[in-house]
Amino acid sequence: MGDPVIFREYKAYGEGPCNIGDLFVEEGARRLLSISGLDPEDGNTLLVIGTPWLWNLCWESPKYQHLVRLMEERKFKRKIALGIGSCFGWNGRIDLSLNARRVVDLWRGFDLVVCRDEIAKSLIPDSLCLPCPSLWFMDKAPCTPTQGILQINCLPWHPDYSEDNGWINPTLPILSYDNGLYRNREDLIRFLSFVLSHEKVVSKRIHAILPASPFVQTRCVPSDSRAMSCRKAMIPIHPEGQWSQPEVILSKRNGEWLMEYRTALQAFG
């Protein structure tokens, strides 16, 4: 049968599990699989979890090449991908480069692909689009908010990232998403506990607010199409003005969205 294969972005680059976004998505995906009666440690299953898999020239990336080799070298009873996203300019051109057909053919080889944004769904035939698995990271908030607004910034690494920090109010708390090392669930809970100690959270990094959104008011500052994952989860995009409604997100997470995930996953159990 072989060892279980759970493919995440950091495995392709030889890094340790320190990307907090990857870890939130993986933990949420594991819970969704368990709720649906699937075993993520089943060695017959290839499970691809999270990260943006669709952007211009994506085919040249180490993680694509790693995944292709894995699928060529080993036969799997089922191949499932959860939380697949895109990473194009917020208002830019959607382009998969000259290898678009090869990218599409790769994902056609999966039994189930669930995307977390509409652009990814439009580029992967027969895929579904549901809110990011990171929403299922925890059932209830570990603390009660005692502080006001928290702003979460991040390093300007993306070419479409704006250097304009006009959305930041320097008189309010500012947390850098890129500081810290995260290796396990306890690290994530510590991070999220600080975030959830605030009544409102605005962030440029989507996984600083997606797992928090069922419990506190949130808003996303877009830097690229990954922000559409927040929109899919009913998190407003700055500067639209309003804040999310956590009680509505929680209700849909535990009801309609969970049922859609379970229906899709159980079809391949």
Side-chain angles (χ1 to χ4, degrees):
M1 183 171 69
D3 296 328
V5 175
I6 301 176
F7 191 88
R8 294 149 296 209
E9 182 170 18
Y10 62 75
K11 281 198 169 185
Y13 294 93
E15 300 172 353
C18 57
N19 185 316
I20 192 170
D22 274 355
L23 293 174
F24 273 128
V25 178
E26 179 179 341
E27 288 283 322
R30 283 177 175 274
R31 296 199 66 221
L32 286 169
L33 289 162
S34 178
I35 291 169
S36 303
L38 275 70
D39 179 7
E41 305 297 338
D42 176 5
N44 289 313
T45 300
L46 170 61
L47 180 61
V48 177
I49 298 178
T51 83
W53 277 92
L54 297 153
W55 71 94
N56 190 29
L57 300 176
C58 61
W59 190 261
E60 305 301 326
S61 72
K63 66 181 180 181
Y64 257 94
Q65 296 168 25
H66 185 161
L67 180 58
V68 170
R69 286 196 303 271
L70 185 63
M71 294 174 66
E72 290 174 345
E73 294 169 359
R74 185 167 162 186
K75 302 301 181 183
F76 295 93
K77 179 180 177 181
R78 64 178 70 84
K79 295 184 284 292
I80 295 173
L82 301 179
I84 306 304
S86 68
C87 189
F88 298 96
W90 182 237
N91 294 308
R93 179 167 170 256
I94 308 304
D95 183 11
L96 280 181
S97 80
L98 298 177
N99 285 303
R101 176 50 51 192
R102 296 173 69 187
V103 172
V104 170
D105 287 345
L106 172 72
W107 296 109
R108 279 190 187 277
F110 277 70
D111 301 290
L112 173 66
V113 178
V114 181
C115 301
R116 66 192 190 205
D117 69 72
E118 295 291 347
I119 291 178
K121 173 179 167 45
S122 72
L123 295 172
I124 301 179
D126 303 318
S127 61
L128 303 177
C129 187
L130 292 170
C132 181
S134 62
L135 265 71
W136 283 265
F137 174 74
M138 61 172 51
D139 286 329
K140 60 183 180 180
C143 60
T144 301
T146 58
Q147 303 180 65
I149 297 176
L150 174 66
Q151 305 165 114
I152 303 179
N153 205 2
C154 56
L155 298 175
W157 62 273
H158 190 276
D160 290 307
Y161 188 106
S162 173
E163 293 285 355
D164 179 15
N165 285 335
W167 61 278
I168 287 181
N169 182 339
T171 67
L172 298 174
I174 302 171
L175 173 66
S176 173
Y177 179 93
D178 300 284
N179 290 343
L181 185 64
Y182 307 96
R183 294 194 177 277
N184 50 47
R185 185 175 181 87
E186 289 69 30
D187 292 339
L188 301 186
I189 290 175
R190 279 194 293 273
F191 172 86
L192 202 56
S193 294
F194 177 75
V195 172
L196 292 175
S197 67
H198 296 78
E199 294 179 349
K200 297 181 177 180
V201 185
V202 55
S203 173
K204 276 198 171 183
R205 287 300 291 262
I206 64 173
H207 287 106
I209 51 176
L210 274 165
S213 63
F215 311 111
V216 294
Q217 296 181 70
T218 52
R219 189 163 66 200
C220 175
V221 179
S223 58
D224 55 58
S225 67
R226 286 172 297 179
M228 294 182 70
S229 298
C230 287
R231 180 167 280 165
K232 184 66 181 177
M234 302 180 65
I235 298 171
I237 303 298
H238 183 83
E240 292 176 354
Q242 71 270 31
W243 293 86
S244 69
Q245 301 179 56
E247 65 280 359
V248 174
I249 295 174
L250 182 62
S251 174
K252 285 188 170 290
R253 186 199 74 169
N254 293 342
E256 172 189 340
W257 295 340
L258 178 59
M259 182 61 66
E260 291 183 77
Y261 262 111
R262 291 182 65 180
T263 300
L265 287 166
Q266 288 174 346
F268 299 99

